[in-house]
Amino acid sequence: MRIQVKRTGGFAGIDRHAEVDTTARPDAQEWHALAERAEAEGRGTPPVGVPDGFSYQITIDGRTVYCSDPRLTDDQRTLITRVLKEGS
Amino acid sequence: MTANPTGFEPVFCTIVPPVVLDRLAQSSDPALAKAARRTLQRDAYERTQRRLTTVIGAPSVAAPKGAEEGKPHRTIHDAKHRTDLPGRKVRGEGDKPGKDATVNRAYAGLGATFEVFFKHFERDSIDGGGLPLNATVHYGEDYGNAFWNGEQMVFGDGDREIFLDFTIPVDVIGHELTHGVVQYTANLTYFGQPGALNESMADVFGSLIKQYTLGQTADQADWLIGAGLLAERVTGKALRSMKEPGTAYDDDVLGKDPQPADMDHYVRTGRDNGGVHINSGIPNRAFYLVAEALGGHAWERAGQIWYAVLTGGELAQDASFTDFAKLTVAAARAKYGDGDELKAVLDAWAQVKVPTA
């Protein structure tokens, strides 16, 4: 599974993106479950965010959902944090 | 948001969960997909509107007992690196400083912002009616951002790799509070040009608050937004420069400051809500040019003109740079007649290539 996260906006207005390919990972199952939950809770169109809030685009094997700070679900927040931290 | 131009009302409005609408929006049946998409868009729009009207339409939150006019009513909360808002109360109005420098900075920054708006713009708090000022610090883990959520300010500690604590620059605190002022006044739509004007207002008043706390005149100010926020390894002096947009940073990781300095270099983009933090460089520089031409304290004349437009009732929610520029010309004339102020405003917009006629 290929999980991509794109973050845009924020006070600095600087984009960040990262992706994780779970294929060779020992914890792939965990990633898949988290990604599926985050995707199910996402929206098909970008929600309107708050001033200076981050907006996120999560793409899982080519399917894209959107979410924005501060209204992220716990799973979305966990997934985003992990991909931006561990991804390349 | 009154009439539906197509006359077609999607039947699944508000009943169908957003997840299903999302799936429908991607349907191969164009009629179905279009309707679902429209519902989703409207849903998102209305949710925001609801949030805005809740805040704007509601009577001001009652000031605490014993509150005096002209005094802030501050409460600082600590999210303890979680994301539940507002978090635990750690300092209320009048409480002595504690050991946490972040809490103390937020408290002082809110006070400075309140003071500038009250003393120099005769505005009692964000809503003009003594609204209590609430802020949450230590939001999230390694959270490199600060935002205004419609009701309060939220500050992260930064990741320490790129960003430090967002309460460090007082202009960042002033910036977030000014988003609140904009919400209660012109309520500029947070997208494209009105969004960039919303951002620019937040930068202008954020910078004025910094200049006020340092007692600086226009020529003494650095006109930087977010100075002191970048970690040591980042090559840059701040996040934005109102004086020279596009020159704040140039770094291997962050890239180069993308702000344009005039309308010829306006950036068309879908990212960052249509470049709200990018194109704000244009009206930011216009303000700097007015302040620099007039000299003295920037909140005295340049600031008064900008504030008159923000609060005058004529600035539309979807205003363009040109709409805004024209109103500043009118405000300068109304306030100061045919003098230096009017000339400074006309010259500034001409330099950033925004038409005023």
Side-chain angles (χ1 to χ4, degrees):
Chain A
M1 182 183 272
R2 209 168 145 224
I3 310 166
Q4 297 160 287
V5 169
K6 195 177 163 200
R7 191 186 78 192
T8 180
F11 186 87
I14 294 167
D15 288 2
R16 269 199 71 188
H17 48 88
E19 73 171 82
V20 165
D21 190 337
T22 62
T23 315
R25 283 182 176 254
D27 56 352
Q29 281 310 318
E30 199 191 310
W31 277 100
H32 295 175
L34 178 64
E36 277 158 19
R37 289 196 302 271
E39 183 186 4
E41 294 154 352
R43 303 179 62 91
T45 48
V48 180
V50 300
D52 295 321
F54 286 134
S55 296
Y56 306 92
Q57 185 181 316
I58 304 171
T59 305
I60 297 161
D61 288 339
R63 302 180 307 272
T64 297
V65 295
Y66 302 86
C67 48
S68 292
D69 270 348
R71 284 180 289 276
L72 298 184
T73 65
D74 289 342
D75 289 324
Q76 287 170 346
R77 195 181 306 280
T78 306
L79 181 73
I80 288 163
T81 306
R82 284 188 68 181
V83 172
L84 290 180
K85 205 178 228 169
E86 299 175 37
S88 51
Chain B
M1 287 313 296
T2 45
N4 182 340
T6 61
F8 173 69
E9 200 67 40
V11 288
F12 38 69
C13 181
T14 74
I15 305 162
V16 181
V19 179
V20 179
L21 283 173
D22 285 356
R23 218 162 282 147
L24 285 171
Q26 285 153 14
S27 163
S28 53
D29 178 347
L32 203 58
K34 202 174 160 193
R37 246 179 246 143
R38 200 182 303 123
T39 305
L40 280 167
Q41 277 161 3
R42 192 166 61 183
D43 181 32
Y45 176 84
E46 285 185 351
R47 212 152 10 87
T48 312
Q49 287 303 107
R50 263 202 300 279
R51 186 166 54 75
L52 294 174
T53 29
T54 310
V55 181
I56 290 166
S60 297
V61 180
K65 256 193 188 161
E68 297 168 59
E69 202 197 338
K71 300 276 182 211
H73 317 300
R74 292 165 284 184
T75 309
I76 312 295
H77 303 265
D78 186 342
K80 296 194 171 294
H81 305 289
R82 299 181 55 86
T83 52
D84 307 314
L85 292 174
R88 200 168 68 93
K89 179 181 166 182
V90 285
R91 190 170 174 192
E93 187 62 47
D95 293 352
K96 288 200 175 67
K99 284 181 184 155
D100 187 337
T102 304
V103 172
N104 296 338
R105 274 195 300 266
Y107 185 87
L110 295 189
T113 306
F114 180 91
E115 196 174 318
V116 170
F117 276 112
F118 190 75
K119 259 175 90 170
H120 296 290
F121 299 96
E122 288 159 31
R123 184 175 192 83
D124 188 5
S125 193
I126 287 180
D127 64 338
L131 188 79
L133 302 176
N134 292 314
T136 296
V137 298
H138 302 310
Y139 179 83
E141 282 181 54
D142 299 328
Y143 193 76
N145 201 21
F147 59 87
W148 166 257
N149 84 340
E151 290 164 17
Q152 66 158 100
M153 287 138 283
V154 181
F155 299 95
D157 289 339
D159 52 13
R160 295 175 300 278
E161 292 275 313
I162 297 173
F163 294 121
L164 304 175
D165 188 326
F166 273 71
T167 61
I168 292 172
V170 72
D171 46 280
V172 173
I173 298 175
H175 176 109
E176 294 311 329
L177 264 166
T178 305
H179 277 308
V181 175
V182 173
Q183 178 184 311
Y184 277 97
T185 54
N187 198 21
L188 293 154
T189 306
Y190 204 64
F191 193 87
Q193 286 196 22
L197 287 169
N198 191 327
E199 269 306 312
S200 179
M201 283 293 181
D203 278 353
V204 162
F205 287 94
S207 181
L208 289 182
I209 285 146
K210 178 179 174 180
Q211 292 170 37
Y212 173 78
T213 59
L214 296 173
Q216 292 175 328
T217 52
D219 60 326
Q220 291 166 337
D222 61 15
W223 295 97
L224 296 172
I225 299 297
L229 188 59
L230 297 174
E232 209 174 318
R233 51 164 290 220
V234 179
T235 315
K237 50 192 178 188
L239 280 177
R240 293 184 277 280
S241 167
M242 299 177 68
K243 185 177 179 175
E244 298 168 292
T247 66
Y249 59 88
D250 191 353
D251 181 74
D252 295 346
V253 179
L254 280 189
K256 190 184 175 305
D257 176 359
Q259 284 212 317
D262 63 44
M263 212 52 201
D264 287 353
H265 299 91
Y266 183 88
V267 179
R268 284 177 199 285
T269 177
R271 73 189 174 100
D272 182 31
N273 289 297
V276 294
H277 294 89
I278 299 172
N279 293 310
S280 56
I282 298 167
N284 275 0
R285 181 163 167 249
F287 181 81
Y288 158 76
L289 290 167
V290 174
E292 193 249 343
L294 295 175
H297 292 135
W299 57 84
E300 282 167 3
R301 287 184 286 171
Q304 296 303 321
I305 295 166
W306 253 240
Y307 184 77
V309 175
L310 176 65
T311 57
E314 284 182 68
L315 185 61
Q317 286 188 22
D318 62 348
S320 66
F321 287 0
T322 301
D323 295 335
F324 180 76
K326 284 180 183 166
L327 289 171
T328 60
V329 172
R333 188 176 278 126
K335 260 182 149 17
Y336 303 105
D338 261 331
D340 294 346
E341 295 83 2
L342 181 64
K343 184 180 181 305
V345 169
L346 288 168
D347 287 352
W349 291 114
Q351 275 203 64
V352 301
K353 301 180 183 176
V354 172
T356 48

